[in-house]
Amino acid sequence: MGQEARESQSLERVIIRTVNLRKVYTQKKVETIALAGVDSEIYQGEFLSIMGPSGSGKSTFFNMIGGLDSPTSGRVMIDEVDVAQLTAIELAFLRCRKIGYIFQQYNLIQYMTALENVTTPMTFAGLAPDEARNRGMELLELVGLGERWAHRPIEMSGGQQQRVAIARSMANLPSVLLCDEPTANLDFQTGQEILDILKGLNQERGVTIICATHDHRMLDICDRLIWIRDGSIDRIARRDEVEINLGSVGGEG
C-alpha cells in the first residue's frame, strides 16, 4: 500500500479513539497521575510513533490503547467499542483477534520452537492444526526465519527472537500491531532490519502500527508522532512537520 493510498485511507476511519483518558495510581494514600485526560485519534492503516521521556505516561498510554490496563476514568474506543464495557472474555477475544503485541523482552516461551511460539495464539483462536502450521511457516518465511522454525529461543540471537515475536504478533492477522520499544535491545543493524519488517507490514498489508519508542529512526517510517509529557499529549505532528537535529527531534524537548 503506497503512502498516498494509506493517507487517503487514514482520513476515512478512526480505528482507536481515547476520550478524556485518565490513569491514577495510588500507593500508601499517595496519588500519582500517569495520564491526565488524554484525547486522541489513531487512523486505520497509519504508522504512529509515541515518544516521551521516562515517566511521561507514554507506556501507560500504550497499555491503555492496547487493552492491557484499565483507565481510572475516560474511555478507550477500539472500532467504536468501549473497551471498559467489555467482559473479560470479550476483551480477551478482542485482543486475540484485533491486536498483535511486540514486546521489548520478546516474551517467547522458552521451551517451544519458533513455529510453536508463532502458532500458539492460533490455537487459542481455534484455528485447525494444519492451517495453523501452514500460516505459521508463512509468517516465519515473511520475517526471514523459515529455515529456523524448529529452533528454540535459546538457540537464537536477540534479533532472531524479535523476528519470531513479530511473526507471532501477526498470528491471527490483526488489524493493529502494538510495539513496545521493539528495537531497544538490538544492535543498530539488527534494529534497522526489524524496522524494515514493520514498515513492510504497514505498507504492504495495511496493518496499523503503533510504536512506543525512543528510537529516532522510527521517524523515517512513521506517518505521525505523538509526544507525551507529564501525562498529557504535548504535541502531535506529521512526519514532514518534524525537524531532526543532531540526534534529537524538534518538538520533543
Side-chain angles (χ1 to χ4, degrees):
M1 184 181 297
Q3 177 74 16
E4 184 175 334
R6 286 187 298 126
E7 288 181 359
S8 175
Q9 181 187 48
S10 72
L11 294 173
E12 295 176 1
R13 183 166 179 246
V14 173
I15 194 168
I16 298 176
R17 184 194 315 272
T18 67
V19 181
N20 196 25
L21 192 63
R22 290 178 53 84
K23 183 65 176 182
V24 180
Y25 295 101
T26 303
Q27 187 175 20
K28 296 181 179 180
K29 298 184 180 180
V30 176
E31 290 189 347
T32 300
I33 299 175
L35 292 177
V38 173
D39 295 316
S40 65
E41 292 183 340
I42 299 171
Y43 303 111
Q44 181 179 11
E46 77 169 327
F47 196 125
L48 179 72
S49 290
I50 303 172
M51 292 184 151
S54 297
S56 63
K58 176 177 86 262
S59 295
T60 302
F61 179 64
F62 179 86
N63 289 336
M64 293 292 164
I65 61 179
L68 298 174
D69 199 357
S70 300
T72 302
S73 62
R75 293 184 294 166
V76 177
M77 313 289 289
I78 299 179
D79 278 339
E80 298 303 326
V81 174
D82 188 347
V83 174
Q85 301 303 314
L86 300 178
T87 66
I89 293 176
E90 289 170 336
L91 181 57
F93 181 85
L94 180 143
R95 288 197 299 238
C96 180
R97 298 282 185 170
K98 280 191 176 296
I99 304 173
Y101 301 90
I102 301 172
F103 301 100
Q104 182 177 342
Q105 302 297 333
Y106 320 135
N107 288 3
L108 300 178
I109 301 173
Q110 295 299 306
Y111 64 83
M112 287 187 174
T113 66
L115 181 60
E116 289 168 340
N117 268 283
V118 174
T119 57
T120 293
M122 303 179 200
T123 301
F124 287 125
L127 203 65
D130 287 346
E131 189 174 353
R133 179 181 176 83
N134 290 339
R135 183 186 295 176
M137 288 301 299
E138 289 174 2
L139 289 170
L140 286 172
E141 291 283 356
L142 178 68
V143 299
L145 288 180
E147 295 182 356
R148 298 183 68 86
W149 65 270
H151 290 245
R152 291 176 170 78
I154 197 172
E155 301 171 301
M156 299 178 182
S157 67
Q160 289 170 336
Q161 291 184 61
Q162 191 64 298
R163 287 169 182 260
V164 174
I166 292 173
R168 179 188 58 188
S169 74
M170 292 295 296
N172 292 322
L173 310 179
S175 54
V176 177
L177 199 56
L178 286 168
C179 313
D180 186 11
E181 299 284 1
T183 61
N185 294 329
L186 306 175
D187 61 64
F188 184 89
Q189 180 59 40
T190 305
Q192 187 61 55
E193 292 169 358
I194 295 302
L195 294 180
D196 290 342
I197 292 173
L198 294 177
K199 182 177 180 179
L201 291 173
N202 175 246
Q203 293 188 334
E204 297 166 18
R205 299 196 173 203
V207 179
T208 302
I209 295 184
I210 305 166
C211 280
T213 183
H214 286 98
D215 191 338
H216 290 160
R217 288 176 297 174
M218 206 71 73
L219 293 169
D220 291 331
I221 57 177
C222 73
D223 299 311
R224 288 193 305 152
L225 297 95
I226 292 179
W227 284 274
I228 304 288
R229 186 185 298 275
D230 297 329
S232 300
I233 291 181
D234 183 57
R235 182 186 174 199
I236 300 175
R238 295 193 58 80
R239 168 63 188 92
D240 56 11
E241 299 171 339
V242 177
E243 180 181 356
I244 306 173
N245 292 311
L246 299 176
S248 65
V249 183
E252 186 176 14

